[in-house]
Amino acid sequence: MSPRGGSKQQPDSRRQAPPSAAAAVPSPPGRGRGRGRGESSVPAPSLVNAPSAPPPASTIGVPSGAAPFRAALPPPAVESLTSAVEKQLTMQPSAPSSSKAVRFKERPGFGLAGEKIKVRANHFQVQVAEQDLFHYDVSINPEITSKKVSRDVMTLLVQAHREKILGNRIPAYDGGKSLFTAGSLPFESKDFVIVLKDDDEPGSSSSSSPTRKKREREYRVTIRLASRTDIHHLSQFLRRRQLDCPYETIQALDVVLRATPSERFVVVGRSFFSPSLGKPGSLGSGTEYWRGYYQSLRPTQMGLSLNINVSARAFYEPIPVIDFIESHFRANPSRPLPDQDRIKLKRVLRGVKVEVTHGKNLRRYKITGVTKEQLRKLMFTLDDNRTKSSVVQYFHEKYNIVLKHTLLPALQAGSDIKPIFLPMELCQIVAGQRYTKRLNEEQVTNLLRASCQRPRDRENSIRQVVRQSNFSTDKFVSHFGIQVREDPALLDARVLPAPMLKYHDTGRESSVEPKMGQWNMIDKKMFNAGVVEHWTCLNFSGKINREFPSAFCHKLARMCSNKGMRFNSKPLLPITSAQSSQIESALVNLHKQSITRLANQGRLQLLIIILPDFEGSYEKIKRICETELGIVSQCCQPRHVCQMKPQYLENVALKINVKVGGSNTVLNDAIARIIPRVSDRPTLILGADVTHPQPGEDSSPSIAAVVASMDWPYVTRYRGVVSAQTHREEIIQDLYNTCEDPVKGKVHSGIIRELLRAFRLSTNQKPERIIFYRDGVSEGQFSQVLLYEMDAIRRACASLQEGYLPRVTFVVVQKRHHTRLFPVDHGSHDQTNKSGNIMPGTVVDTHICHPREFDFYLNSHAGMQGTSRPTHYHVLFDENNFTADGLQMFTNNLCYTYARCTRSVSIVPPVYYAHLAAFRARCYIEVATSDSGSASGGRAANCEVRLPSVKENVKDVMFFC
């Protein structure tokens, strides 16, 4: 026994949208983001839809010309847009269905551009017998929070009552509130009493010793008929004869396919992990990785598809807690644990199960905390509620154990009222517990290495998973009449041609056609080279030679000049070095000197910074430069400064050029004005993303970032705006805002208004089209995000000018999915690049894509490591009437305009830039909280963290590159 303590769019008047009421439907199963964002299973509060067919072009037109924004709409007209947008974007399905349906943009046809090829995908076709499936609600009392325990209860129930009471059915249970059967049960509602032997609660024994009776718990289980799902409805939807998708039916089938692995493996979201699926490996700091696989059922053009992908996940290593402390904190257990490490240990072990063996039987406890007192000072009251004893004395007298590490605190289990104190040296971490905290750099590197597989190896691993799953003999799958093909889907795909890129005519080569997703800058000059007249360099590294900063800057200036920039060879202020402990004062002093030197003749245009030799300073430098001093900076790592490789200097030159307002390259089609739906009218390209705090930071705000093109018709320069919002809120809150001013009345503001005004100032045009690439949205949130953000865009436009309604195309960009594309012949040099991946430009809009909606997978980059992940683009709303080829070609071509390298990138650049801007804003917050002494993730939940404003001169350029 352990010691226990005692004490929208207002539709254009010329547009007609069918009226309907919005309704909620279940979120699609298994379709969402993974890392840090979560998979949404919450029904949408309102549904959003594009019209089934786009109106004729003449009826959606926007007034031509570039008239300035006129007087804004009166407030009531602006406010009325909310209901108008919802009315325009919702539609009642014309065919009967199990629920009211959400329909987004219909597919306008299939793409034809590019070279036709065949590829394989990790999708496996599923066939289902047409029979009735029944959905039952499950209620367990007392309530169980663990899905594993709930499954144990239901397994006992089925074993005991299957033949006599359950009509010999084999129910599939999801571990929560839902149970599905093929055919009805002999009752509509029935109560059962199940007794479960409890292994994992504090004080229990998991030993099989007959001398100790395991603790038993009694549960009352109620099974009640909820609904009957219609397989025929699903079949009709997959044949495009029904408008809405019966997600409840897909959910039932998904539960069936997951039933057996849920019993055999550790379940994490939609993935399964087990040492039997591959040998675990060390990640460092007391953690290890387990191999596993992801599995999800999806409706596609080829019918139902089972998407399977191999993966790896971090788990706690089943080691003694003392060893965990040594590994995680590099601490000596014979010495006291510093208070800051004790707080971190409490955070990292809270909720973790440990087992102790100092009694006759093995017992398991869930950790609730770590004591402030050292073990040697820890006292508690015995069960007689009178006698006090020290923990050290108790273990010596009762178990004849002499505790060694008495300078360490004790682990605490139980409750605060009745705590259980556990000496760390007697505790071992229980195997199979997922590590949910933020991984450090070493752990991330090791996890990436473990999960990185070449395409051939990954495809073979996925095929092996399917063979091991053996769906043909699975009792649940067979009982429900489901068949799963063992061969991955063979798809029609196309390889889109790379765009012609234009450079400046003064270079030896004024244009280039990329090969295999890459090109170089040899003999080329930047299309729109920037000017750097006033610059200097500040060195914070103490390890590099004193002459290196000057030599490096000289070579960098020459590289910039060679690429076409007007770069003054002499710095405004002498290149100097400063102590890494004096970052803020050194930057402030340099800023003052530059102001004095220039007087009224301009400002410092560029500050080159050689970073200190330790990590963590970059964030502080960027926050001071960009939010306090208004300095555009370019940071360089000391090791690169010492090497001074031409390739590195060239890459830095590319970044510097866009940071001072230049453009590196432009699409030739943009110059020729032949990009469909973009070149003919002023078009604003938006990229948006919301980044959320890392696991364990349960109070930090989420950061929204939106970038917008500022140089139509070229679409290469972008302006970024960032905003902090509620913790883990996915919808961007600050797209459009209003507030009441005592003098001015209603004041309009928000990100969209700011970017529209900036576009107008930059191009002397107002956008007549908007293409909005939106990242970070799981499919369960499509409806909410589209409705709210389309409404915000419409209201922002209307607040600038009465009747101003530019056409909008709303595209969701998804990178965190599990679809992978493989070459049919892994050994063919005509089908693969050097890494064995599919060719850059490969696009798929058939077979594995949505049966009705406008979506496609695009592999726009040349993968260098592992298996390339194509990006999934899903068009939710489109007033610009893009063709499949038009949007696919434009998106692929944009991926060649990323400013920081001479390669095509995997996601469309506006979204990439939004990522960079959001992470830059995260730097500002992390530095602020670090400077104030707050530990990451330790702030109070109601503490509001304000985001510093970026200075206007910095915001005018691509400072986030």
Side-chain angles (χ1 to χ4, degrees):
M1 175 178 176
S2 300
R4 293 180 179 267
S7 15
K8 267 181 165 195
Q9 198 177 100
Q10 172 178 355
D12 188 303
S13 59
R14 294 163 291 182
R15 303 177 190 144
Q16 290 295 320
S20 95
V25 297
S27 299
R31 305 171 70 181
R33 304 188 65 159
R35 106 171 127 115
R37 314 256 173 138
E39 295 168 348
S40 173
S41 60
V42 182
S46 57
L47 299 181
V48 210
N49 259 311
S52 58
S58 59
T59 66
I60 328 178
V62 199
S64 60
F69 295 122
R70 295 189 292 271
L73 284 172
V78 176
E79 296 300 328
S80 69
L81 283 171
T82 301
S83 59
V85 170
E86 184 168 356
K87 190 173 183 180
Q88 181 188 0
L89 298 182
T90 55
M91 175 179 291
Q92 184 78 20
S94 58
S97 61
S98 58
S99 65
K100 293 184 180 180
V102 52
R103 287 199 299 134
F104 300 112
K105 170 68 179 175
E106 292 269 345
R107 188 180 301 279
F110 296 98
L112 300 173
E115 179 187 351
K116 294 181 179 179
I117 61 167
K118 294 283 188 180
V119 296
R120 293 195 186 278
N122 56 338
H123 285 243
F124 299 82
Q125 193 170 22
V126 175
Q127 293 181 329
V128 183
E130 287 216 7
Q131 60 178 319
D132 290 332
L133 303 183
F134 288 80
H135 177 199
Y136 291 85
D137 282 334
V138 175
S139 174
I140 302 178
N141 189 25
E143 186 176 354
I144 302 173
T145 56
S146 166
K147 285 191 174 184
K148 181 183 183 303
V149 177
S150 297
R151 287 193 175 96
D152 291 342
V153 170
M154 290 304 300
T155 298
L156 287 176
L157 188 153
V158 173
Q159 289 173 352
H161 303 293
R162 177 186 165 191
E163 293 184 3
K164 293 184 178 179
I165 302 179
L166 300 181
N168 217 27
R169 306 289 185 201
I170 303 180
Y173 177 55
D174 72 348
K177 302 290 187 183
S178 295
L179 180 142
F180 301 94
T181 61
S184 64
L185 295 175
F187 55 83
E188 289 197 358
S189 180
K190 194 167 186 64
D191 292 338
F192 301 85
V193 175
I194 301 298
V195 177
L196 180 69
K197 292 180 180 179
D198 193 346
D199 288 344
D200 289 337
E201 290 301 311
S204 69
S205 170
S206 61
S207 167
S208 58
S209 170
T211 60
R212 181 179 179 87
K213 186 177 181 180
K214 293 182 181 180
R215 183 177 175 182
E216 295 181 344
R217 285 197 173 187
E218 183 177 285
Y219 296 96
R220 181 172 294 273
V221 182
T222 301
I223 299 178
R224 182 179 295 108
L225 179 64
S227 64
R228 175 170 154 180
T229 62
D230 189 355
I231 291 288
H232 178 70
H233 182 183
L234 174 60
S235 174
Q236 293 296 95
F237 170 76
L238 294 172
R239 291 184 173 94
R240 295 175 55 84
R241 295 173 185 169
Q242 275 280 1
L243 296 179
D244 63 313
C245 179
Y247 286 119
E248 62 276 12
T249 305
I250 296 177
Q251 179 191 9
L253 297 172
D254 196 52
V255 169
V256 174
L257 290 164
R258 298 171 61 80
T260 294
S262 294
E263 292 179 350
R264 296 173 55 196
F265 307 132
V266 175
V267 183
V268 181
R270 296 196 164 272
S271 299
F272 306 101
F273 297 92
S274 170
S276 66
L277 295 172
K279 185 180 178 181
S282 175
L283 291 178
S285 300
T287 60
E288 63 181 7
Y289 65 82
W290 282 16
R291 298 195 182 276
Y293 66 96
Y294 167 93
Q295 175 181 306
S296 178
L297 189 66
R298 304 174 61 88
T300 65
Q301 293 170 30
M302 68 180 187
L304 287 176
S305 168
L306 191 62
N307 181 204
I308 294 179
N309 188 31
V310 291
S311 59
R313 191 89 188 204
F315 284 78
Y316 285 92
E317 204 171 353
I319 56 177
V321 172
I322 291 292
D323 293 348
F324 179 84
I325 293 174
E326 289 185 276
S327 176
H328 200 83
F329 296 101
R330 309 289 191 267
N332 185 345
S334 300
R335 297 179 180 178
L337 196 66
D339 196 51
Q340 61 182 18
D341 284 348
R342 182 189 63 81
I343 294 172
K344 291 179 182 177
L345 180 65
K346 177 181 178 181
R347 192 160 58 242
V348 83
L349 287 183
R350 179 179 289 170
V352 173
K353 290 180 182 178
V354 296
E355 52 192 19
V356 295
T357 55
H358 55 267
K360 293 182 178 179
N361 299 286
L362 182 147
R363 297 183 181 183
R364 289 181 174 176
Y365 299 88
K366 183 178 285 188
I367 302 305
T368 58
V370 176
T371 62
K372 292 182 179 180
E373 300 90 347
Q374 294 176 348
L375 185 62
R376 63 177 182 171
K377 299 178 181 178
L378 197 59
M379 304 290 292
F380 73 102
T381 305
L382 296 177
D383 290 340
D384 60 7
N385 292 327
R386 290 192 309 249
T387 310
K388 288 210 169 221
S389 172
S390 73
V391 173
V392 174
Q393 179 184 354
Y394 174 86
F395 275 88
H396 183 252
E397 293 177 353
K398 186 168 181 68
Y399 300 107
N400 195 28
I401 295 175
V402 178
L403 298 174
K404 301 176 182 177
H405 301 293
T406 59
L407 295 179
L408 294 175
L411 300 178
Q412 183 175 320
S415 64
D416 289 337
I417 298 175
K418 210 168 186 182
I420 303 171
F421 301 123
L422 305 170
M424 291 185 186
E425 61 194 88
L426 303 181
C427 297
Q428 170 126 347
I429 296 173
V430 175
Q433 299 182 81
R434 183 163 58 106
Y435 186 81
T436 59
K437 307 303 187 290
R438 181 175 184 173
L439 299 177
N440 60 34
E441 189 173 334
E442 177 195 14
Q443 291 169 323
V444 169
T445 300
N446 290 334
L447 186 60
L448 289 174
R449 188 178 293 121
S451 58
C452 182
Q453 288 181 293
R454 292 290 191 188
R456 185 197 299 268
D457 298 331
R458 181 173 289 268
E459 183 180 349
N460 289 336
S461 297
I462 292 170
R463 286 175 180 264
Q464 179 67 17
V465 166
V466 176
R467 285 193 295 269
Q468 289 179 343
S469 297
N470 204 1
F471 292 107
S472 60
T473 61
D474 185 293
K475 64 178 181 179
F476 295 99
V477 175
S478 300
H479 184 75
F480 280 79
I482 301 174
Q483 294 180 323
V484 181
R485 293 193 61 178
E486 289 194 356
D487 293 323
L490 184 64
L491 316 177
D492 294 322
R494 292 167 290 115
V495 179
L496 301 178
M500 184 70 74
L501 301 178
K502 187 73 173 68
Y503 283 90
H504 201 274
D505 289 333
T506 57
R508 290 184 182 178
E509 292 185 9
S510 60
S511 62
V512 62
E513 186 176 359
K515 302 296 183 184
M516 209 55 87
Q518 57 185 321
W519 66 101
N520 59 59
M521 282 285 292
I522 298 174
D523 295 332
K524 301 174 190 68
K525 293 190 176 182
M526 297 158 177
F527 176 80
N528 178 22
V531 177
V532 178
E533 184 66 30
H534 309 305
W535 66 277
T536 190
C537 174
L538 187 56
N539 170 40
F540 287 112
S541 173
K543 293 184 178 180
I544 64 176
N545 190 289
R546 185 172 298 180
E547 289 79 28
F548 269 61
S550 294
F552 172 76
C553 289
H554 174 72
K555 287 193 174 184
L556 180 59
R558 190 167 60 187
M559 176 64 75
C560 290
S561 298
N562 289 341
K563 297 307 170 186
M565 295 182 64
R566 281 175 46 201
F567 202 106
N568 190 344
S569 59
K570 295 183 179 180
L572 174 70
L573 300 171
I575 295 173
T576 57
S577 297
Q579 295 292 325
S580 57
S581 59
Q582 303 294 323
I583 289 175
E584 185 164 5
S585 59
L587 290 171
V588 170
N589 289 337
L590 183 143
H591 181 57
K592 290 179 179 177
Q593 292 177 44
S594 68
I595 293 175
T596 303
R597 176 68 63 88
L598 288 170
N600 295 322
Q601 300 177 12
R603 63 187 308 149
L604 188 68
Q605 296 167 286
L606 176 68
L607 174 59
I608 299 168
I609 296 175
I610 301 174
L611 291 168
D613 305 302
F614 56 87
E615 294 181 0
S617 55
Y618 175 85
E619 293 81 1
K620 184 172 186 176
I621 289 170
K622 289 298 184 181
R623 190 255 300 167
I624 295 170
C625 287
E626 294 166 359
T627 69
E628 296 179 12
L629 305 179
I631 294 177
V632 175
S633 59
Q634 175 59 52
C635 293
C636 303
Q637 291 285 357
R639 66 178 183 275
H640 295 312
V641 171
C642 294
Q643 294 170 350
M644 288 187 268
K645 293 182 178 179
Q647 185 62 56
Y648 176 73
L649 294 171
E650 183 179 288
N651 288 342
V652 174
L654 294 177
K655 293 181 182 182
I656 288 175
N657 189 50
V658 296
K659 286 182 178 181
V660 296
S663 300
N664 295 334
T665 186
V666 175
L667 295 171
N668 196 65
D669 286 356
I671 297 174
R673 299 281 193 104
I674 57 173
I675 302 177
R677 306 295 192 273
V678 175
S679 295
D680 59 334
R681 295 185 180 184
T683 302
L684 179 70
I685 312 295
L686 295 172
D689 185 32
V690 178
T691 65
H692 302 293
Q694 292 282 350
E697 297 183 25
D698 52 8
S699 61
S700 297
S702 293
I703 303 293
V706 183
V707 303
S709 58
M710 292 285 120
D711 61 342
W712 181 84
Y714 298 144
V715 293
T716 61
R717 288 194 299 107
Y718 292 82
R719 179 185 178 95
V721 181
V722 293
S723 173
Q725 59 188 45
T726 308
H727 177 73
R728 299 213 171 272
E729 172 60 61
E730 187 54 63
I731 295 172
I732 302 176
Q733 301 294 303
D734 288 338
L735 288 180
Y736 172 73
N737 292 318
T738 59
C739 63
E740 290 292 337
D741 184 271
V743 177
K744 300 177 182 178
K746 181 165 295 230
V747 176
H748 305 275
S749 62
I751 295 173
I752 296 297
R753 277 177 57 96
E754 179 178 339
L755 293 174
L756 286 169
R757 287 181 178 276
F759 183 93
R760 177 72 178 85
L761 289 172
S762 178
T763 65
N764 201 31
Q765 307 259 16
K766 60 180 182 182
E768 296 182 28
R769 288 196 175 102
I770 295 176
I771 302 174
F772 189 64
Y773 286 102
R774 175 66 160 91
D775 192 23
V777 183
S778 65
E779 294 187 26
Q781 296 175 302
F782 278 6
S783 300
Q784 302 100 307
V785 169
L786 177 62
L787 177 61
Y788 185 95
E789 296 183 3
M790 268 301 304
D791 177 52
I793 291 170
R794 285 295 182 227
R795 285 152 61 91
C797 292
S799 71
L800 287 168
Q801 178 180 324
E802 183 177 358
Y804 177 50
L805 294 172
R807 301 176 184 180
V808 179
T809 298
F810 195 108
V811 186
V812 169
V813 182
Q814 293 179 304
K815 190 68 176 172
R816 292 182 181 88
H817 56 79
H818 289 269
T819 292
R820 300 293 184 272
L821 302 176
F822 304 102
V824 173
D825 181 1
H826 288 281
S828 171
H829 295 295
D830 295 333
Q831 298 182 20
T832 63
N833 65 4
K834 291 181 179 179
S835 66
N837 277 291
I838 57 174
M839 309 277 274
T842 301
V843 63
V844 171
D845 60 3
T846 60
H847 293 82
I848 60 172
C849 293
H850 195 278
R852 303 189 65 97
E853 295 168 12
F854 187 7
D855 70 326
F856 56 92
Y857 291 92
L858 173 63
N859 188 83
S860 54
H861 68 300
M864 292 182 288
Q865 290 185 333
T867 303
S868 296
R869 185 187 334 215
T871 300
H872 186 219
Y873 295 90
H874 202 132
V875 183
L876 302 190
F877 185 67
D878 180 27
E879 292 179 309
N880 291 301
N881 299 326
F882 271 100
T883 63
D885 278 334
L887 188 60
Q888 291 167 14
M889 288 285 289
F890 175 64
T891 302
N892 184 60
N893 290 352
L894 270 185
C895 292
Y896 285 79
T897 65
Y898 186 58
R900 304 209 307 175
C901 61
T902 54
R903 302 179 65 93
S904 60
V905 288
S906 61
I907 56 174
V908 70
V911 165
Y912 213 138
Y913 295 142
H915 278 315
L916 296 176
F919 282 112
R920 178 63 56 81
R922 179 75 60 194
C923 292
Y924 306 154
I925 291 180
E926 289 180 353
V927 168
T929 55
S930 175
D931 288 350
S932 64
S934 299
S936 175
R939 297 183 296 278
N942 59 355
C943 176
E944 180 180 354
V945 180
R946 296 189 61 185
L947 188 63
S949 298
V950 179
K951 295 294 183 181
E952 283 300 318
N953 69 298
V954 176
K955 197 186 293 184
D956 283 339
V957 296
M958 296 170 66
F959 67 93
F960 41 79
C961 277

